[in-house]
Amino acid sequence: MEHVQAKSEFDRRSVLIFGAAGAAALFGGASSASANEAKVEELAPGVTLRTFKEVAPVGPVPGFSKALLMEITFQPGSKFGPDTSKTVDICEIQGAPLYAEIEGKEPFTLQPGDIYFCPVGNVETDTNKSDKPSIMRIIELVPA
C-alpha cells in the first residue's frame, strides 16, 4: 500500500514538473512573439513585470480557473519585496542568478534554469546581486 502511495505522489510531482516545463516552453514562445503586446508594470526601481497572456485550462483543473503567463525582470542591483504571494506560482529563473529571502527559511540563490513553487502566503524578497539582468518567468495559477 505504501508503494502505491509513493508512486502516486511521484506521479503527481511528475505531472506538475512536466506541466511546468511544457508551460515554460509555451511561455518561451509567447515571450518572444508577443513582447510588444505585453502589459508592463514597474514593481520597484529596476524591476518590471510583463504579463503576456491569460489562458484557460483545456480540461478542468480542480481549484483553478486560469493561468497568467508573466515575467519579472530584475536589472542589476535591483530588489523587490517583501511581497506576499496571493496565488500559487510556478517560477523559472533565466539570465543572472537571483538571491531569494523567504520568511522562515534560510536565504538562497536561484540559478538560471531553476524551477520552484511559491505557495499562497509565501513572503519573499528577491535581489539581483549580479551585473546582468535576471528574469523570473512565472505561471500564476488563479483560483476558481
Side-chain angles (χ1 to χ4, degrees):
M1 192 74 152
E2 288 179 18
H3 178 69
V4 171
Q5 183 179 13
K7 182 175 174 41
S8 175
E9 285 186 29
F10 174 75
D11 290 343
R12 278 186 254 142
R13 285 189 200 122
S14 296
V15 167
L16 282 173
I17 290 169
F18 291 126
L26 170 67
F27 180 66
S31 173
S32 60
S34 63
N36 294 331
E37 300 170 25
K39 176 184 168 191
V40 180
E41 174 185 350
E42 184 175 51
L43 300 177
V47 181
T48 54
L49 169 67
R50 284 183 173 78
T51 303
F52 294 104
K53 66 166 81 172
E54 181 178 301
V55 295
V58 174
V61 179
F64 300 101
S65 62
K66 60 185 172 184
L68 297 174
L69 305 177
M70 307 178 291
E71 70 180 25
I72 298 176
T73 301
F74 296 82
Q75 294 303 322
S78 65
K79 179 178 183 175
F80 177 63
D83 183 57
T84 303
S85 183
K86 294 165 188 61
T87 57
V88 174
D89 299 336
I90 303 169
C91 304
E92 178 191 24
I93 302 302
Q94 294 192 345
L98 190 64
Y99 182 73
E101 298 171 273
I102 298 176
E103 228 173 65
K105 296 183 179 184
E106 290 293 317
F108 57 97
T109 300
L110 294 158
Q111 298 298 325
D114 284 353
I115 294 175
Y116 70 106
F117 294 79
C118 296
V120 172
N122 206 42
V123 179
E124 184 173 342
T125 301
D126 298 309
T127 307
N128 182 356
K129 295 183 175 185
S130 169
D131 61 352
K132 297 178 182 161
S134 180
I135 299 168
M136 178 188 296
R137 292 190 164 187
I138 305 165
I139 299 169
E140 180 179 288
L141 302 176
V142 180

